Amino acid sequence: MKFDKHFPTEQLKPYIKYFVVSENELENEYKVFPSSGLVIGFQYKGQLATVKDNTESKLTTAGITGITDGYKIFKNSANIGTILVYFTEIGFTHFVSHPANELFNLSLSLDDIFDKNNVIEVEEKLTIATTDKQRIKIVEQFLLSQLKDIETDKLIVEAVKLIYQSNGTIRIKELNEKLFISQSPFEKRFRKVVGTTAKKFASIVRFNTVLDNLNDSKSLTEICYENNFFDQAHFIKDFKQFTGDTPENFKRFL
């Protein structure tokens, strides 16, 4: 199995965190937990499906997944090869006119978002490419061709920064006060750029902080307390929504 990270060119750095080239010779079913940005996937070989209630739904070979507030189960065919594009929190809206929140909890075909002919062209080039470097370059060229000359919403960038600084525990009221903006216009801007509400985004950041803490020798009570959960029951409920598992079980398999 291969899962190699590649970093984008300077021009794409504000919008793309990194690319991943992922290959697996074996058929595999796996969970993907909520992350803080949208993700594009190009399968240059093999097939990917989502699994829900024991039902498989095949995905198109080029797709995009919005921010989610729960885990998703995917299943890949044998001999699969995928290029994944991980957007920064504000990155997606610099390539499309769609508000990012329209993709919340969805996995869509990429030609629902971009021109179909452009997507087909990328897919054709990827099947011919023989090296990871070539594949990354093809995807970068596609993204550069779609990049819009628009201003970055600096207030939302600052909001994202403050949420990360607090590990997702900042209250939205406090965020509004620090940014000198009332809740309604702030929420509208945040959802459009980031892809979900500030509160949901903060809970995803907090969840990922908890995941990092689970690797340590801390007790669940300590993790609860440090991440501002009211009580252990609330913590377990949130954790189960994000992973489908209890913290105790999850920790056992780390």
Side-chain angles (χ1 to χ4, degrees), residues 6 88 109 220:
H6 300 258
T88 62
S109 173
L220 290 182

Side-chain angles (χ1 to χ4, degrees), residues 81-95:
T82 309
I83 305 277
L84 295 164
V85 181
Y86 288 84
F87 287 96
T88 62
E89 289 74 11
I90 55 94
F92 174 73
T93 49
H94 284 264
F95 298 91

Side-chain angles (χ1 to χ4, degrees), residues 88 121 134 181 197 228 242 244:
T88 62
E121 191 184 333
Q134 285 173 353
I181 186 171
T197 63
N228 284 17
F242 283 126

Side-chain angles (χ1 to χ4, degrees), residues 4-6 8 16 18-21 84-85 136 139-140 143:
D4 293 345
K5 268 188 192 180
H6 300 258
I16 308 294
Y18 50 81
F19 301 101
V20 165
V21 182
L84 295 164
V85 181
I136 296 295
V139 174
E140 281 198 321
L143 290 167

Side-chain angles (χ1 to χ4, degrees), residues 20-35:
V20 165
V21 182
S22 170
E23 289 187 355
N24 198 345
E25 290 172 11
L26 306 173
E27 186 178 273
N28 187 33
E29 195 171 290
Y30 57 93
K31 276 182 189 175
V32 172
F33 303 133
S35 69

Side-chain angles (χ1 to χ4, degrees), residues 29-215:
E29 195 171 290
Y30 57 93
K31 276 182 189 175
V32 172
F33 303 133
S35 69
S36 56
L38 291 85
V39 181
I40 281 177
F42 290 97
Q43 271 80 54
Y44 53 87
K45 59 179 180 176
Q47 177 80 51
L48 193 63
T50 54
V51 182
K52 196 174 182 182
D53 304 323
N54 294 322
T55 306
E56 281 182 39
S57 305
K58 284 189 175 176
L59 295 172
T60 52
T61 46
I64 183 162
T65 297
I67 288 185
T68 62
D69 62 355
Y71 67 95
K72 277 181 177 276
I73 299 173
F74 289 91
K75 187 177 183 179
N76 64 263
S77 67
N79 295 315
I80 194 167
T82 309
I83 305 277
L84 295 164
V85 181
Y86 288 84
F87 287 96
T88 62
E89 289 74 11
I90 55 94
F92 174 73
T93 49
H94 284 264
F95 298 91
V96 296
S97 47
H98 287 67
N101 59 288
E102 285 185 1
L103 278 85
F104 182 69
N105 270 344
L106 295 177
S107 288
L108 299 177
S109 173
L110 206 57
D111 57 28
D112 287 336
I113 306 294
F114 295 103
D115 178 79
K116 192 174 184 174
N117 292 331
N118 290 342
V119 175
I120 289 167
E121 191 184 333
V122 176
E123 290 187 290
E124 284 172 351
K125 285 178 180 174
L126 285 173
T127 53
I128 299 163
T130 53
T131 67
D132 291 351
K133 204 173 172 183
Q134 285 173 353
R135 292 183 186 111
I136 296 295
K137 198 172 178 190
I138 290 161
V139 174
E140 281 198 321
Q141 283 169 345
F142 164 70
L143 290 167
L144 287 166
S145 74
Q146 302 299 318
L147 188 56
K148 295 181 183 301
D149 186 17
I150 56 167
E151 283 258 335
T152 297
D153 192 330
K154 290 185 175 66
L155 182 126
I156 300 304
V157 171
E158 188 58 27
V160 167
K161 196 170 109 186
L162 289 167
I163 290 168
Y164 272 111
Q165 280 172 356
S166 74
N167 288 330
T169 61
I170 193 168
R171 297 196 178 281
I172 305 309
K173 190 170 180 284
E174 190 188 337
L175 203 54
N176 295 153
E177 285 164 5
K178 284 190 173 185
L179 297 167
F180 306 103
I181 186 171
S182 56
Q183 191 171 345
S184 183
F186 169 70
E187 279 298 344
K188 198 175 175 188
R189 276 165 71 174
F190 195 94
R191 281 169 55 233
K192 184 186 173 203
V193 174
V194 178
T196 187
T197 63
K199 192 177 178 180
K200 277 219 169 93
F201 179 79
S203 72
I204 291 167
V205 170
R206 180 164 69 159
F207 160 70
N208 282 299
T209 305
V210 167
L211 278 194
D212 292 341
N213 287 342
L214 282 180
N215 292 317

